[in-house]
Each structure stands twice: as structure tokens, then as C-alpha cells.
Amino acid sequence: MKKNVMALSIAAMIGGLGFAGAASADVVVGTDAAQTAATYAGKIIAKPTATALAVTAGGVGHALVVPYFNAQNGNMTVLHITNTDQTNGKVAKVRFRSASNSDDLLDFQVFLSPGDVWTAAVTADANGLAQITTADNTCTVPALTTQSFNNSTSRLPGYLTEAQRTALTREGYVEVFNVADITALKSFDTNGALNAAGPNRSPLYTATKHVSGVAPCSVAGSTARSTLNAAAIADYTTEAQVAAAGLDSPTGGLMGDWYIINVPQTTVFSGAATAIAANTGAGANGVANFRHFAQLGNALVTLNANGADGVTADPLFRALNVFDATGAAVATATLPMLNYDAPDLSTPFFGAASSANTLAQATSLLSALAVKSVTNQYALDASITAKTDWVFSMPARRYNVVANYAAVTGTSGATGPTSSNAKYRLFTDLNASGTQAGEWFYPAVSGAYTTGGGTYKTGGNTTVDTNGNICVYADGQKFFDREETSATAGPVFSPGTASSVAFCGEVSVLAFSDTGNSVLGASVARSTITSGIYTNGWGVIDTANAAQGLPLLGNSFIKLTNPQAGVGVSGTYGISWPHRYTK
């Protein structure tokens, strides 16, 4: 079932609950940080205290990024999302994006009770399409057991065959957002007034809170399930509506973990999700905006003056400050933004919903993730059949440059998914000034943006590869062995004979020497070092990018075999080390 059909099926299922006709939704900025009966009147939900975004060293935050999932070559990716808040529940938006150009493959909502953990696995189905499977008692909307990813032309390239689009679903990354808290201590009437009498629990909290290990909302056809469905597709535009639903401004507290397991090859790799927190000016964890949008496939209608531009920096959904690769303005949104497209990582965590604030948040996010060098180890020792893949994930790139598949009317040249097709790459001018300052990805012409007097680096920093993946190149790299020796000649990369590491695709995989399946079996956005490295050692990649850095996450994946392992004893092992960075 395709994603839009999933969303519309919810509307059909609960159509009798009073949600009908055109509606609007938006970011709701709370006004009251102290919510007691004495101070309640006119001050409904918590006032945001956050003023900045930051990657948290502690791994707990308002948003999580799982830098890579893989369902290739027998791999299974398992996710664990934990609500570390022991008082409030969390409404979390989960979105899977393709490794190619971060196209939306599947998204849904997870309702975590206090201290709850939601788990799921991503594998390939019998047709090669990625699918998610879960037996978790935590409730989701839509309700999930097994669900295939979306490989239709609604978001993936229509110029590809279905088999090629299917392949794009098997690698990518995952975004998780805390869009609202489920309050444990307050109950409100339909006018948003604090109930004088108990019980002092909202119906939504009761529906999602586990009883003997089972959430009541997980029971199909129950009143609790109806309560959950109604909350998931409701349009909230006022504090009173939010409070009446038993919801509140999000306070973070999400933690995530992942592992990639290949049972036939007896190999496991694991890691922690990168956590992004909305912090106060002092660096402490803060309260963010309420950012829940209906889990429906109908057109997004917002109350803010900028429409979709007020809730996203994504160039495909915007009509303001968007340009093609020649610098020509794009005055009409390329794709209509639908309710399930919101929120994303650029939807304002603090401040009002506006075009300026979405651009500012995207800039803050890219800055928080930007690094000027990446360092890690590799191992290629033939005696232990060692292999190495490095993964580079750029989950914020979407908010500065995207691939516009609608611009493709042929297979090559000015009409294909190539650099010569000026309409294929669309850029958001994040500072709305036409200057390079504050930009991470920019067009291939000088003076690209026409709204200001600034000039971009001649030649730009983005191209398009033969698979239609947008690429950005490292400024250089250097590889060492384990005895202080460094290469005098640069490595050679394929495809082609590039002399620098190419980050082609939103999640790119660099294989060391092995031109076959290598460690991860990656194929969506992969390159290979064919020569110019040592048997074992380490390397550093320069990502200075005109002193602005590149927003990168990722890991080194090393697989090896013990040749002395006896019959019936597993002798294959996996090691995963996170990249080390300089800022």
C-alpha cells in the first residue's frame, strides 16, 4: 500500500469522528510555562524557551537522526526509539528517506508513553521493496505490523523503472521528531478550560499509557484507538485545541539506537542515533514549539502568512527564495506540500512559523552538523578477509539543495538528470541575500542568485552523477598506514577516475578496494577507492568547503573473518566506529 493511500485510509476509517471539510494546521507557539489552575486562563500550553539547535553529546534530544539504514544483500536494520521522559508521553514523527536524494519513502506517527521504547526492523520483501515490520505494543498511526515503503512516482524519479525505484528504497536514513508531549497531569474540556474535577488524566494519555505491557490504543476497534486516531489527524491551530487534546509543547527526551544485522553472514554493526536538541541560550534543554500536523495525504493549509514557506525550507515545497542552477528564481512550488510532509527538520522549533524562521532554522541545523574534516580507520588485511565501507550521511542537505525530478523529460543533457539540466537542481537561498555566506551547497555559476549582490564560488560545489544523485566533493583527502606513512600519490575513485571523495546522494558509501558487495552491499549511492591506499590504516577527508564545512554524519564499517574458527563456530565479525570530526 502506498503512503498516500495509507494516509487517506485513516480519514476513511474515522470519518465519522467529526473531522471533515477543509482545515488548517500550523506551528502553535505556547504562552505559559507555569501551568497551574491559578495561572491557566488565556495561557494554555508551555511557552517555548529554546533559542538554538545543537547536536547533543549526551544523545538525548528533540529530534533524532539515524544516519543510515540498509536492507541490501540480506541486511536488516533494527531501530530502537526511547522516551527517556518518565512523566510525559511523546508524539514522535518518524520519516524514512532514500539515500539517493532524501525522497520521502514512508512516514507515520508513534505515540510513546513515559519510559516507553518502540522497536521496528527494516528488511527487503519478496519483491525487493524495503518494508518495516514491528510487533511492538506502542501505538502508531497508521497502525503498523508490516508495511512496504513507497516506490511510486509521487516522490521517486518517474523516469526510472519500477525496479530501479524499488532499489532506491533499500538504503537511506531516518528522521524522528518530538512534535508534542502527551501531558500526564492535566485534563481540559473542549473549550480549553482546566477541568475542575478529575480524573486528572487526558483520554489520550490513558489511551497510550501501557497497562500490563500493552497500550490500550493497540486494541483495534477500541475507544482508546479511536481517541488516538482522532488526535493523529486533527488540525491544531490554537493553544486551547492543543490543551483540550491532552497535548503540550515538546520538551525532548528522545533517545535512539540502531543496528544492522546480517544473519546468514553472522555480522552485526550498531550505533547511536544523532540527537538534536532545542536548547536555551545557556545551553540547557529547552521547550520547543508544538509542531504536530495531521497524518493525512491532503494539501497542507496553514494560517501563517507564508503558507508552506512558513513551515519548511525544502526547495521543492517553497515559492520564496528558491533558484535553479542558473540563478533564475522559481516562483511557484514544484510540489504541493501535503499534511504528512510536515513537520521536517526545518519547521521552526522556536519562534513563529514564517519563511524567515524556516530559513534561519535550516541554517542553524546545517551549522550544527557542519564539519571541516572527517577522520576514521580502515582495514583491508587479506589474512582476516577484512573489508571496509565508510558511510557519509547528510540529513540536512535537503533544506539547501534538492533534485527536481519534474525537470527530467529525457535521459541526458539539458532534459535529463544531469548537471547540464539547469532545472534539475533547486537551491534555497537560506539567508535571502544572494551571497554565499551561510550556504553549504550552491549552484555552478558565479553570482548565481539574482536577489543580491553576492557572488558564489565560480564553478559551485554541486554536480550530478550518472544516477541522478546530487554530488558535492571533498576538498582533498590523505590516507596513512599504521606506521606513520602517508601516501605520496592520491587515491583513485570509481566510478570514473575522480581524485577526490565524492559525496553523491544524501547518504553515500565509500568502499575500500572491494568492487563487489563489500561490507554493506550498498548500491544506491556508492563509490570505490580502487588504488592509492594501504592494507590497514586511517584517513582524513578535508571538508572545509570554503571554510563553512559540510553537514556530515556517519561511520566506518569493518567486516573481518577469523580463519581459525572451527566448524559450527561463527567466525565473522563486524566493527562500527563513528567518524571523528573537526569543526
Side-chain angles (χ1 to χ4, degrees):
M1 187 185 298
K2 301 296 187 270
K3 182 182 66 177
N4 57 341
V5 178
M6 289 172 61
L8 294 174
S9 70
I10 304 171
M13 176 176 63
I14 62 175
L17 295 179
F19 297 93
S24 57
D26 224 325
V27 172
V28 180
V29 181
T31 59
D32 179 31
Q35 299 170 71
T36 65
T39 63
Y40 175 77
K43 302 175 181 179
I44 313 298
I45 62 174
K47 180 180 179 180
T49 60
T51 58
L53 294 183
V55 174
T56 66
V60 178
H62 292 78
L64 304 173
V65 175
V66 175
Y68 187 55
F69 74 83
N70 183 303
Q72 303 274 29
N73 196 36
N75 289 328
M76 171 194 294
T77 301
V78 180
L79 307 177
H80 290 208
I81 307 300
T82 302
N83 175 16
T84 65
D85 189 335
Q86 299 178 52
T87 301
N88 300 303
K90 305 291 174 183
V91 184
K93 176 81 165 186
V94 178
R95 178 176 290 118
F96 289 82
R97 291 189 182 270
S98 174
S100 178
N101 289 305
S102 75
D103 305 301
D104 191 353
L105 299 172
L106 189 75
D107 61 69
F108 49 89
Q109 296 178 20
V110 179
F111 290 75
L112 295 151
S113 58
D116 192 14
V117 181
W118 176 77
T119 65
V122 179
T123 57
D125 66 16
N127 297 314
L129 189 65
Q131 63 179 3
I132 187 169
T133 303
T134 181
D136 202 292
N137 287 322
T138 299
C139 297
T140 65
V141 177
L144 291 174
T145 52
T146 298
Q147 176 62 54
S148 295
F149 285 14
N150 175 32
N151 72 336
S152 72
T153 59
S154 61
R155 293 296 166 84
L156 293 174
Y159 57 83
L160 297 179
T161 66
E162 183 173 2
Q164 290 171 321
R165 291 194 301 274
T166 294
L168 295 184
T169 70
R170 295 196 295 267
E171 291 177 71
Y173 65 98
V174 191
E175 303 168 330
V176 182
F177 319 109
N178 175 203
V179 297
D181 277 12
I182 305 171
T183 181
L185 301 177
K186 297 179 291 300
S187 180
F188 300 91
D189 63 25
T190 55
N191 296 316
L194 187 66
N195 282 332
N200 211 17
R201 303 279 190 183
S202 73
L204 183 60
Y205 182 89
T206 302
T208 55
K209 184 72 173 71
H210 286 53
V211 179
S212 299
V214 177
C217 54
S218 65
V219 179
S222 64
T223 300
R225 184 70 208 185
S226 296
T227 298
L228 183 81
N229 289 337
I233 70 159
D235 288 299
Y236 303 102
T237 58
T238 68
E239 292 181 89
Q241 292 171 344
V242 174
L247 296 169
D248 208 337
S249 305
T251 55
L254 295 181
M255 177 180 77
D257 299 284
W258 57 267
Y259 60 90
I260 298 173
I261 182 170
N262 192 304
V263 174
Q265 299 178 25
T266 61
T267 308
V268 180
F269 304 97
S270 63
T274 297
I276 299 166
N279 289 338
T280 65
N285 185 69
V287 177
N289 287 338
F290 177 89
R291 302 183 326 282
H292 179 277
F293 289 75
Q295 187 65 29
L296 290 171
N298 53 347
L300 175 69
V301 178
T302 67
L303 298 180
N304 78 81
N306 296 132
D309 296 79
V311 297
T312 185
D314 189 323
L316 289 179
F317 298 135
R318 291 181 62 88
L320 298 173
N321 308 107
V322 177
F323 299 84
D324 66 22
T326 68
V330 178
T332 303
T334 303
L335 285 178
M337 192 172 190
L338 306 180
N339 270 297
Y340 59 56
D341 290 316
D344 61 27
L345 281 169
S346 65
T347 306
F349 280 68
F350 44 86
S354 69
S355 178
N357 280 345
T358 59
L359 300 182
Q361 177 160 306
T363 298
S364 178
L365 175 67
L366 284 154
S367 180
L369 294 172
V371 298
K372 294 181 180 179
S373 73
V374 179
T375 301
N376 217 318
Q377 293 192 60
Y378 64 90
L380 306 172
D381 191 338
S383 68
I384 54 173
T385 323
K387 301 180 179 182
T388 300
D389 285 353
W390 284 5
V391 170
F392 304 98
S393 183
M394 294 191 285
R397 195 187 75 175
R398 176 87 183 188
Y399 309 110
N400 199 174
V401 59
V402 295
N404 173 23
Y405 302 135
V408 178
T409 57
T411 58
S412 63
T415 60
T418 63
S419 294
S420 60
N421 183 345
K423 305 297 182 183
Y424 186 74
R425 284 168 294 156
L426 299 182
F427 300 82
T428 297
D429 183 6
L430 292 175
N431 56 25
S433 69
T435 67
Q436 183 180 331
E439 309 285 339
W440 283 262
F441 307 95
Y442 38 93
V445 295
S446 180
Y449 295 156
T450 57
T451 57
T455 300
Y456 281 78
K457 186 170 68 175
T458 302
N461 72 344
T462 57
T463 59
V464 180
D465 71 9
T466 56
N467 296 315
N469 298 321
I470 295 175
C471 304
V472 61
Y473 289 86
D475 294 300
Q477 57 283 313
K478 193 172 186 179
F479 293 96
F480 299 81
D481 67 8
R482 293 176 177 174
E483 309 299 338
E484 305 179 35
T485 308
S486 62
T488 56
V492 176
F493 302 88
S494 68
T497 57
S499 58
S500 293
V501 173
F503 308 112
C504 292
E506 208 83 352
V507 183
S508 59
V509 176
L510 176 62
F512 283 67
S513 294
D514 190 341
T515 57
N517 280 331
S518 192
V519 178
L520 298 165
S523 65
V524 173
R526 171 190 162 153
S527 59
T528 304
I529 300 179
T530 57
S531 64
I533 49 176
Y534 298 97
T535 300
N536 302 301
W538 65 282
V540 57
I541 298 176
D542 180 359
T543 56
N545 189 36
Q548 295 176 147
L550 285 175
L552 284 174
L553 302 170
N555 296 69
S556 172
F557 293 82
I558 299 176
K559 182 178 179 180
L560 51 90
T561 302
N562 178 7
Q564 303 302 318
V567 177
V569 177
S570 174
T572 306
Y573 311 97
I575 301 169
S576 182
W577 286 312
H579 292 322
R580 281 69 162 189
Y581 311 103
T582 58
K583 299 290 269 184

CSV table of all heavy atoms in Angstrom, one decimal, residues 40 44 188-192 202-203 239-247:
chain,number,residue,atom,x,y,z
A,40,TYR,N,-3.9,29.6,34.6
A,40,TYR,CA,-4.2,29.0,33.4
A,40,TYR,C,-4.9,29.9,32.4
A,40,TYR,O,-4.6,29.8,31.2
A,40,TYR,CB,-5.1,27.8,33.6
A,40,TYR,CG,-5.6,27.1,32.4
A,40,TYR,CD1,-4.8,26.3,31.7
A,40,TYR,CD2,-6.9,27.4,31.9
A,40,TYR,CE1,-5.2,25.7,30.5
A,40,TYR,CE2,-7.3,26.8,30.7
A,40,TYR,CZ,-6.5,26.0,30.0
A,40,TYR,OH,-6.9,25.5,28.8
A,44,ILE,N,-2.2,28.6,27.7
A,44,ILE,CA,-2.7,27.3,27.6
A,44,ILE,C,-1.6,26.2,27.6
A,44,ILE,O,-1.6,25.3,28.4
A,44,ILE,CB,-3.5,27.1,26.3
A,44,ILE,CG1,-4.5,28.2,26.1
A,44,ILE,CG2,-4.2,25.7,26.3
A,44,ILE,CD1,-5.6,28.3,27.2
A,188,PHE,N,-8.5,18.8,30.2
A,188,PHE,CA,-9.2,20.1,29.8
A,188,PHE,C,-10.5,19.7,29.1
A,188,PHE,O,-10.7,18.7,28.5
A,188,PHE,CB,-8.3,20.8,28.8
A,188,PHE,CG,-6.9,21.2,29.3
A,188,PHE,CD1,-5.8,20.4,29.2
A,188,PHE,CD2,-6.8,22.4,30.0
A,188,PHE,CE1,-4.6,20.8,29.7
A,188,PHE,CE2,-5.6,22.8,30.5
A,188,PHE,CZ,-4.5,22.0,30.4
A,189,ASP,N,-11.4,20.7,29.2
A,189,ASP,CA,-12.7,20.5,28.5
A,189,ASP,C,-12.5,21.0,27.0
A,189,ASP,O,-11.4,21.4,26.6
A,189,ASP,CB,-13.8,21.2,29.1
A,189,ASP,CG,-13.7,22.7,29.2
A,189,ASP,OD1,-13.0,23.3,28.3
A,189,ASP,OD2,-14.3,23.3,30.1
A,190,THR,N,-13.6,20.9,26.2
A,190,THR,CA,-13.4,21.2,24.8
A,190,THR,C,-13.2,22.7,24.5
A,190,THR,O,-12.9,23.1,23.4
A,190,THR,CB,-14.7,20.7,24.0
A,190,THR,OG1,-15.9,21.3,24.6
A,190,THR,CG2,-14.8,19.2,24.1
A,191,ASN,N,-13.4,23.5,25.5
A,191,ASN,CA,-13.2,25.0,25.4
A,191,ASN,C,-11.7,25.3,25.8
A,191,ASN,O,-11.4,26.5,25.8
A,191,ASN,CB,-14.2,25.8,26.2
A,191,ASN,CG,-15.6,25.6,25.7
A,191,ASN,OD1,-15.8,25.6,24.4
A,191,ASN,ND2,-16.5,25.4,26.5
A,192,GLY,N,-11.0,24.3,26.2
A,192,GLY,CA,-9.6,24.6,26.7
A,192,GLY,C,-9.5,25.0,28.1
A,192,GLY,O,-8.4,25.4,28.6
A,202,SER,N,-5.6,13.0,30.7
A,202,SER,CA,-6.4,13.2,29.5
A,202,SER,C,-6.7,11.9,28.9
A,202,SER,O,-6.0,10.9,29.1
A,202,SER,CB,-5.5,14.0,28.5
A,202,SER,OG,-4.4,13.2,28.0
A,203,PRO,N,-7.7,11.8,28.0
A,203,PRO,CA,-8.1,10.5,27.4
A,203,PRO,C,-6.9,10.0,26.5
A,203,PRO,O,-6.7,8.8,26.4
A,203,PRO,CB,-9.3,10.8,26.5
A,203,PRO,CG,-9.9,12.0,27.3
A,203,PRO,CD,-8.8,12.8,27.8
A,239,GLU,N,-3.8,27.2,21.1
A,239,GLU,CA,-3.4,26.6,22.3
A,239,GLU,C,-4.6,25.8,23.0
A,239,GLU,O,-4.4,24.7,23.5
A,239,GLU,CB,-2.9,27.6,23.3
A,239,GLU,CG,-1.6,28.3,22.8
A,239,GLU,CD,-1.1,29.3,23.9
A,239,GLU,OE1,-0.4,28.9,24.8
A,239,GLU,OE2,-1.5,30.5,23.7
A,240,ALA,N,-5.8,26.3,22.9
A,240,ALA,CA,-6.9,25.7,23.5
A,240,ALA,C,-7.2,24.3,22.9
A,240,ALA,O,-7.5,23.3,23.6
A,240,ALA,CB,-8.2,26.6,23.4
A,241,GLN,N,-7.0,24.2,21.6
A,241,GLN,CA,-7.2,22.9,20.9
A,241,GLN,C,-6.2,21.9,21.3
A,241,GLN,O,-6.5,20.8,21.5
A,241,GLN,CB,-7.2,23.1,19.4
A,241,GLN,CG,-8.4,23.9,18.8
A,241,GLN,CD,-8.2,24.2,17.3
A,241,GLN,OE1,-7.1,24.2,16.8
A,241,GLN,NE2,-9.3,24.6,16.6
A,242,VAL,N,-5.0,22.4,21.4
A,242,VAL,CA,-3.9,21.5,21.8
A,242,VAL,C,-4.1,21.0,23.2
A,242,VAL,O,-4.0,19.8,23.5
A,242,VAL,CB,-2.5,22.3,21.7
A,242,VAL,CG1,-1.4,21.4,22.3
A,242,VAL,CG2,-2.2,22.7,20.3
A,243,ALA,N,-4.4,21.9,24.1
A,243,ALA,CA,-4.6,21.5,25.5
A,243,ALA,C,-5.8,20.6,25.7
A,243,ALA,O,-5.8,19.7,26.5
A,243,ALA,CB,-4.8,22.8,26.4
A,244,ALA,N,-6.9,20.9,24.9
A,244,ALA,CA,-8.1,20.0,25.0
A,244,ALA,C,-7.8,18.6,24.6
A,244,ALA,O,-8.5,17.7,25.1
A,244,ALA,CB,-9.2,20.6,24.2
A,245,ALA,N,-6.8,18.4,23.7
A,245,ALA,CA,-6.5,17.1,23.3
A,245,ALA,C,-5.6,16.3,24.2
A,245,ALA,O,-5.2,15.2,24.0
A,245,ALA,CB,-5.8,17.1,21.9
A,246,GLY,N,-5.1,17.0,25.3
A,246,GLY,CA,-4.2,16.4,26.2
A,246,GLY,C,-2.8,16.5,25.8
A,246,GLY,O,-1.9,15.7,26.2
A,247,LEU,N,-2.5,17.4,24.9
A,247,LEU,CA,-1.1,17.6,24.3
A,247,LEU,C,-0.5,18.9,24.9
A,247,LEU,O,-1.2,19.7,25.4
A,247,LEU,CB,-1.2,17.7,22.8
A,247,LEU,CG,-1.7,16.4,22.1
A,247,LEU,CD1,-2.0,16.6,20.6
A,247,LEU,CD2,-0.7,15.2,22.3
